[in-house]
Amino acid sequence: MMPSASTGPISITTRCQSLRTPRKRAAALAEFIAQRENWRIDMLDILVVDADEMAEMNQTYLNHTGPTDVISFDLADLQSDGILGQLILCGEVARQQAPHFGHRPQTELLLYLAHGLLHLMGYDDRTEPERAIMHQRQQELLE
């Protein structure tokens, strides 16, 4: 059975055995970011997977090869004015990347959550100016 937890409109499921998911901190961070960005979370499903599963999803949904840190799925329709989405986070990528940035894997995983949630709120990082704005806001919210 896969460990999961639900906090109101936020549900967190872990299918990655190599990294403990900080569920309470993740839910609190998602609520904090939504509040700071003036959004309401109607439903947010967070799934933490291993590198193989992430690579498969990355190929299937984005046509990219290999695992990535986070994939965001906006499930809202035109009538929605709150967040309705899913974030897929890769625990193994977080474990591998954390030492390069001098922090714990759980902290790296929370960074992926913040990044993915900002995508659901309309932030983008396709161009360098957009990337700079998104990165700055992400850092402000994480601090």
Side-chain angles (χ1 to χ4, degrees):
M1 175 160 202
M2 56 188 117
S4 68
S6 181
T7 306
I10 301 172
S11 137
I12 302 170
T13 303
T14 301
R15 293 200 298 238
C16 177
Q17 301 303 314
S18 65
L19 179 65
R20 186 186 71 68
T21 302
R23 288 181 180 83
K24 287 182 184 177
R25 286 180 56 207
L29 178 62
E31 290 285 357
F32 173 79
I33 291 172
Q35 179 185 16
R36 286 297 178 100
E37 292 293 305
N38 296 313
W39 281 84
R40 181 185 72 248
I41 297 177
D42 290 336
M43 190 280 297
L44 180 63
D45 180 50
I46 301 167
L47 176 61
V48 182
V49 298
D50 62 22
D52 290 340
E53 188 171 0
M54 180 58 95
E56 185 179 314
M57 288 185 190
N58 202 17
Q59 181 66 50
T60 300
Y61 297 110
L62 300 174
N63 203 28
H64 296 162
T65 302
T68 189
D69 50 5
V70 60
I71 299 175
S72 301
F73 294 100
D74 186 352
L75 306 174
D77 58 24
L78 295 176
Q79 279 75 33
S80 298
D81 60 352
I83 294 170
L84 181 63
Q86 182 177 44
L87 300 178
I88 312 296
L89 312 176
C90 187
E92 287 182 13
V93 169
R95 237 188 41 191
Q96 293 167 359
Q97 292 298 313
H100 300 292
F101 300 108
H103 46 73
R104 297 178 53 216
Q106 287 84 2
T107 302
E108 183 76 6
L109 193 69
L110 293 174
L111 184 144
Y112 300 166
L113 185 154
H115 188 84
L117 191 53
L118 287 175
H119 274 302
L120 293 178
M121 295 174 179
Y123 284 81
D124 210 343
D125 57 2
R126 292 183 187 170
T127 68
E128 189 54 44
E130 289 173 329
R131 193 173 301 115
I133 290 167
M134 187 174 185
H135 180 76
Q136 179 181 350
R137 186 60 180 148
Q138 182 178 292
Q139 288 308 114
E140 290 168 355
L141 291 165
L142 288 170
E143 288 173 10

